[in-house]
Amino acid sequence: MSRLAAVLALSALPAALAIQLPNGIGKLPALGWNSWNAYGCNIDESKLLQAANAMVSMGFKDAGYEYVISDDCWSNLDGRDNYTHQLVANATKFPQGITGTSGKIHDLGFKFGIYSSAGTKTCGGYPASLGYEEVDAATFASWGVDYLKYDNCFPSEVWYDDCLSCEADPSFSPTGIVNGSCTPSTPPVNHYSFDKPIPICPPYKWPVDGNNYTAKYTALKFRIMQQALQAQNRTILYSLCEWGVDEPWTWGNTTGSSWRMSNDINPSWSRILQILNQNSFLTNYNNFWGHNDADMLEVGNGNLTAAETRTHFGLWALMKTPLLMGTDVTKLSAHDVGVLQNKRLLAFNQDAVVGGSAAPYKWGVNEDWTFNSTFPAQYWSGASSNGTMVAMFNPLNETMKMTALYSEIPELESDGCYAVTEAWNGTDLGCKEKSVEVEVEAHDTAVLLFEGKC
Ligand SMILES: *[C@@H]1O[C@H](CO)[C@@H](O)[C@H](O)[C@H]1NC(C)=O
Ligand SMILES: *[C@@H]1O[C@H](CO)[C@@H](O)[C@H](O)[C@H]1NC(C)=O
Ligand SMILES: *[C@@H]1O[C@H](CO)[C@@H](O)[C@H](O)[C@H]1NC(C)=O
Ligand SMILES: *[C@@H]1O[C@H](CO)[C@@H](O)[C@H](O)[C@H]1NC(C)=O
Ligand SMILES: *[C@@H]1O[C@H](CO)[C@@H](O)[C@H](O)[C@H]1NC(C)=O
Ligand SMILES: *[C@@H]1O[C@H](CO)[C@@H](O)[C@H](O)[C@H]1NC(C)=O
Ligand SMILES: *[C@@H]1O[C@H](CO)[C@@H](O)[C@H](O)[C@H]1NC(C)=O
Ligand SMILES: *[C@@H]1O[C@H](CO)[C@@H](O)[C@H](O)[C@H]1NC(C)=O
Ligand SMILES: *[C@@H]1O[C@H](CO)[C@@H](O)[C@H](O)[C@H]1NC(C)=O
Ligand SMILES: *[C@@H]1O[C@H](CO)[C@@H](O)[C@H](O)[C@H]1NC(C)=O
Ligand SMILES: *[C@@H]1O[C@H](CO)[C@@H](O)[C@H](O)[C@H]1NC(C)=O
């Protein structure tokens, strides 16, 4: 069997073989820190260690934050080792190589993550893993890597899913890249849009007609790296980053532990709302071992207000997205540290008994199921092992009264009486019957925990 045939045969296995790594790794959304939102390409070992040390001294480690991840730009720009074909860490940025850095991160009690791309180059233009999956997976394992963020920049032309026509040679070149002639659509079609409802159904022509994203090259590229990682004698959590273009929520669960479902976040209120709106339609795809990734946190960055920060973190936690900080931890305000370490929200995100995420039960200003990137769903609820969590989000520019009406909340009994705790401050609101009304300031989200009945 050719390698392509082998990969395609494997890809046809039933969904029952979802990725379940040993020791519960990847069962719950990852918690940690990633360099990108804080530093972009300008990284080095000292910045990673500064973050890790601050995470210890400021209580993040005790709160459950586990991974410290180097994003793009850690390697030499000019290429692989000519003899071993391995990626080479930039010696200025990582003087003792990645092994040196991962050792120090491990010594602080964290797991260590790294980045590559399913392309000829990473998004930053560094050497990437397409065609080198086996050597890279083995290299990462030998360096003590515990987590791989795998991006999708610079796919080689023959791997385009949006070829207008394509003739593939099923044999592999020495680099593992399929030879073939593709007539790509030029410019490549950007299937991604914040302004279109999901599912986005691009007019793919090849390799199959229709919208079976599991059968397409993008999913295949990500599966090739998954198999390379799985072949290593080291458990490496696999985080897919193809920006939601190819409906990764339909194949991500059989490929990795999480999948980005949208284009990149940035520290702006409008982008947070766009991603929130998009992910609000995908909550059914979340459960143990497989998570929608609404992208890394911007808490501490840009001009987000305290209220906006609570909405961002609170709804990311309730959507059970991985929670990866992306800021200079040492500069976080006391308010933002409190938000990021909120034990009720972290417990919901990390619930070992209930896997599903919260979901909207009512949109609010707009009709239910309205896809609107400035007015996402406002009323959310979700079960947890300690009770029902309800979040009410105010998109308006002024304070509004919002009511959690039990008859509308699927997890609550209409005439029930519940002990209610305000989740941000832990304020005990006492026993409440039928409904709870709260004032929610502009752009803020009230979060209430409904525990035992009264
Ligand atoms: C989609 O493609 C995959 C992989 O080729 C195949 O296993 C699956 O049956 C296809 N699904 C549908 C609905 O055709
Ligand atoms: C390594 O990083 C330094 C600092 O950013 C840079 O000046 C140098 O060009 C890089 N070397 C390689 C081989 O990419
Ligand atoms: C690999 O070989 C090429 C061509 O000889 C050379 O330009 C390049 O600098 C070498 N790269 C490394 C990392 O040694
Ligand atoms: C694929 O194309 C490359 C570059 O043209 C060539 O070197 C290689 O031999 C081809 N591989 C196969 C299997 O045809
Ligand atoms: C796999 O790793 C474990 C733990 O590091 C080690 O004890 C074992 O010998 C390794 N097995 C192989 C086949 O390398
Ligand atoms: C993903 O796979 C895991 C493990 O098989 C399963 O527990 C989970 O329910 C799946 N997620 C979804 C949304 O089907
Ligand atoms: C924050 O606000 C300042 C002043 O209005 C503006 O110059 C800056 O670009 C904003 N930063 C971000 C990240 O939006
Ligand atoms: C439930 O409450 C216990 C005790 O306070 C706490 O340790 C645990 O994290 C909570 N779990 C959830 C999912 O809220
Ligand atoms: C989004 O919803 C708001 C509130 O109903 C409305 O004013 C706005 O026009 C909607 N946007 C779009 C693009 O439909
Ligand atoms: C809130 O104010 C901003 C800035 O003035 C404006 O762009 C936005 O449309 C307003 N939103 C609502 C819901 O009124
Ligand atoms: C909880 O704390 C936030 C931020 O400190 C504050 O704005 C809010 O008024 C408090 N809410 C309640 C219900 O106490």
Side-chain angles (χ1 to χ4, degrees):
M1 203 173 353
S2 75
R3 187 173 153 198
L4 178 63
V7 168
L8 289 173
L10 260 161
S11 70
L13 290 171
L17 285 185
I19 304 303
Q20 294 193 35
L21 300 176
N23 303 320
I25 291 169
K27 181 174 180 184
L28 302 174
L31 293 184
W33 181 91
N34 172 300
S35 57
W36 187 259
N37 287 350
Y39 303 115
C41 223
N42 187 16
I43 52 162
D44 56 32
E45 180 186 80
S46 68
K47 287 185 173 128
L48 268 62
L49 290 178
Q50 184 194 38
N53 280 306
M55 286 163 73
V56 174
S57 63
M58 292 167 71
F60 287 97
K61 180 165 175 261
D62 288 343
Y65 287 81
E66 188 179 16
Y67 289 92
V68 174
I69 300 160
S70 168
D71 207 284
D72 201 356
C73 311
W74 56 267
S75 75
N76 277 343
L77 192 54
D78 63 359
R80 293 169 175 271
D81 183 293
N82 277 336
Y83 301 103
T84 64
H85 302 301
Q86 287 182 309
L87 293 166
V88 181
N90 180 309
T92 312
K93 297 173 176 174
F94 296 93
Q96 292 154 304
I98 296 299
T99 310
T101 304
S102 75
K104 291 171 195 164
I105 298 288
H106 289 152
D107 288 348
L108 288 167
F110 295 108
K111 291 177 174 163
F112 177 75
I114 209 163
Y115 165 100
S116 190
S117 176
T120 54
K121 289 189 276 188
T122 69
C123 298
Y126 290 74
S129 296
L130 186 63
Y132 293 93
E133 292 87 354
E134 283 169 23
V135 64
D136 288 354
T139 304
F140 297 152
S142 75
W143 286 349
V145 167
D146 306 297
Y147 179 113
L148 176 65
K149 172 178 173 180
Y150 205 43
D151 220 328
N152 196 29
C153 280
F154 297 103
S156 136
E157 206 172 76
V158 293
W159 288 87
Y160 279 11
D161 279 321
D162 50 358
C163 294
L164 292 179
S165 65
C166 198
E167 301 234 5
D169 171 349
S171 53
F172 273 71
S173 68
T175 60
I177 295 171
V178 178
N179 282 347
S181 61
C182 166
T183 311
S185 44
T186 45
V189 180
N190 179 9
H191 301 303
Y192 188 79
S193 168
F194 276 116
D195 301 318
K196 279 190 208 141
I198 289 163
I200 301 157
C201 299
Y204 283 125
K205 298 277 190 238
W206 198 84
V208 288
D209 282 331
N211 303 309
N212 186 347
Y213 292 90
T214 308
K216 291 184 186 297
Y217 268 172
T218 301
L220 175 59
K221 284 191 305 163
F222 279 83
R223 282 197 294 275
I224 291 171
M225 180 53 95
Q226 183 257 317
Q227 285 159 29
L229 293 173
Q230 210 162 34
Q232 306 309 314
N233 184 22
R234 187 175 180 90
T235 305
I236 300 178
L237 189 153
Y238 187 31
S239 159
L240 318 182
C241 180
E242 66 87 77
W243 324 302
V245 175
D246 299 270
E247 297 188 0
W249 44 89
T250 62
W251 49 270
N253 204 26
T254 57
T255 308
S257 300
S258 63
W259 50 87
R260 283 276 304 285
M261 44 51 64
S262 76
N263 209 337
D264 286 359
I265 198 168
N266 59 46
S268 72
W269 179 233
S270 60
R271 180 52 59 92
I272 285 165
L273 294 187
Q274 288 173 327
I275 296 177
L276 175 62
N277 172 56
Q278 190 147 30
N279 208 25
S280 71
F281 289 85
L282 299 173
T283 56
N284 283 344
Y285 294 98
N286 240 35
N287 213 317
F288 289 134
W289 305 106
H291 296 97
N292 292 317
D293 178 354
D295 208 356
M296 303 175 291
L297 298 169
E298 292 285 9
V299 175
N301 300 337
N303 298 327
L304 298 176
T305 65
E308 290 166 351
T309 296
R310 289 192 289 274
T311 292
H312 173 31
F313 180 80
L315 289 169
W316 261 235
L318 291 193
M319 295 190 298
K320 298 208 175 174
T321 182
L323 297 173
L324 301 177
M325 296 185 282
T327 197
D328 178 346
V329 181
T330 63
K331 298 214 167 80
L332 278 166
S333 68
H335 171 271
D336 290 355
V337 171
V339 166
L340 290 161
Q341 295 184 8
N342 183 288
K343 61 176 192 245
R344 284 159 289 274
L345 285 156
L346 287 174
F348 185 92
N349 183 268
Q350 297 290 301
D351 197 325
V353 179
V354 180
S357 80
Y361 64 87
K362 186 170 82 170
W363 259 244
V365 169
N366 287 326
E367 296 278 298
D368 286 354
W369 302 107
T370 301
F371 187 95
N372 180 313
S373 51
T374 54
F375 267 78
Q378 294 169 246
Y379 294 85
W380 295 66
S381 67
S384 82
S385 34
N386 289 346
T388 299
M389 199 74 107
V390 171
M392 295 182 284
F393 153 59
N394 176 9
L396 303 177
N397 287 338
E398 65 263 8
T399 299
M400 81 186 276
K401 286 199 165 115
M402 299 183 80
T403 304
L405 190 58
Y406 299 0
S407 59
E408 294 176 343
I409 299 170
E411 295 85 358
L412 298 182
E413 286 173 23
S414 307
D415 297 323
C417 180
Y418 295 88
V420 183
T421 306
E422 194 282 318
W424 290 119
N425 307 325
T427 313
D428 179 357
L429 302 182
C431 282
K432 298 277 186 186
E433 250 183 299
K434 292 188 179 167
S435 67
V436 182
E437 186 186 76
V438 289
E439 288 218 330
V440 188
E441 60 173 275
H443 301 187
D444 204 353
T445 295
V447 184
L448 303 175
L449 179 60
F450 293 78
E451 289 176 276
K453 296 178 83 177
C454 294

